[in-house]
Amino acid sequence: MTDELLSVKHLVTTFRTADGHVQAVRDISFSVKKRETLCIVGESGCGKSITSLSIMGLLPSNGFIESGSIEFEQQDLAKMKKQQLQKVRGNKISMIFQEPMTALNPVLTIGYQLREPLRIHQKLSKKEAHKKGIELLKQVGIPYPEKRMKQYVHELSGGMRQRVMIAISLACHPSLLIADEPTTALDVTIQAQILDIIQNLKDQLGMGVIMVTHDMGVVAEIADRVMIMYAGEKVEEGDVQSIFENPQHPYTIGLLKSVPDVDKPSILLEAIPGTLPNINEEISGCRFHPRCPFATERCKQEIPEEYQINNQHKVKCWLREDAKNDSDFQVISTT
Ligand code: SF4
């Protein structure tokens, strides 16, 4: 029996805009196994959040999946009707958003918001759902859970709200948890606590986790595997050790150089020059070439092939062309 939980193949997500159709996610493929954390990393606007919203079926009204498949428990989520998707969402797949204030309802008590998914998806009575809600708040480390059940969102701190969001998202024991920048708005101590909670619950419940982040510090803390996205494309993917110790793509190297190292405080941090292009900007060849210090004429004209570095590690960059005849590397696909 396979441990694979989610398999995304050749996903293309497109938006209808005043300037016509623009692709926000461009032909990406990846998978997530049970008890595995995949971190999707990149700057704001690189397509990482649109990828997770595509999986959840929560794209804005002008967005749609143009092609590709999202297989989860032998079903293709990309082809599911809205009603079928609602049964999966919040039940088998849950999502934690960056800003709990926009995801939690300010006029309903925490207790109501915790009981709701349990009553809808698990068909529990009000009493059973209330008891389970208290257990969930305890599980995410919230003190005085009985009291919290009666409170409203504005009565809780930022870290507490994020814990409530996690409790709600775990209410129905999802197989897959998608966390979109869940700690960005929190201070570092609370951030570490929230990452610990997600990590522990993943191990206890055997969930797969997709963590969307721009923070390589979070990646180092929590990832098993890492997928780097740039301008809607996957540019590098590998196990966390290989990505940190042997990064191949100039963009990944740039991201790592912009992270402070506590062991080497004297080393100056480097910023990646330039900015991410707009999603409607057509760029020939490699989409990173206007910012890449190694760009050649070929990079400006031809889309790079994807190369396998080891079993887990792949990179899409012409720099690997030089290593084509080296036994360590092989081309795995052409575009
Ligand atoms: Fe840089 Fe060329 Fe590699 Fe793109 S293909 S990342 S431009 S070296």
Side-chain angles (χ1 to χ4, degrees), residues 249-251 286 288-289 292-296 299 304 316-319:
H249 198 281
Y251 180 59
C286 169
F288 188 58
H289 86 249
C292 181
F294 307 102
T296 62
C299 300
K316 209 174 164 190
C317 172
W318 283 126
L319 284 179

Side-chain angles (χ1 to χ4, degrees), residues 65 126 215 227:
I65 293 173
K126 191 175 172 187
D215 184 338
M227 176 168 101

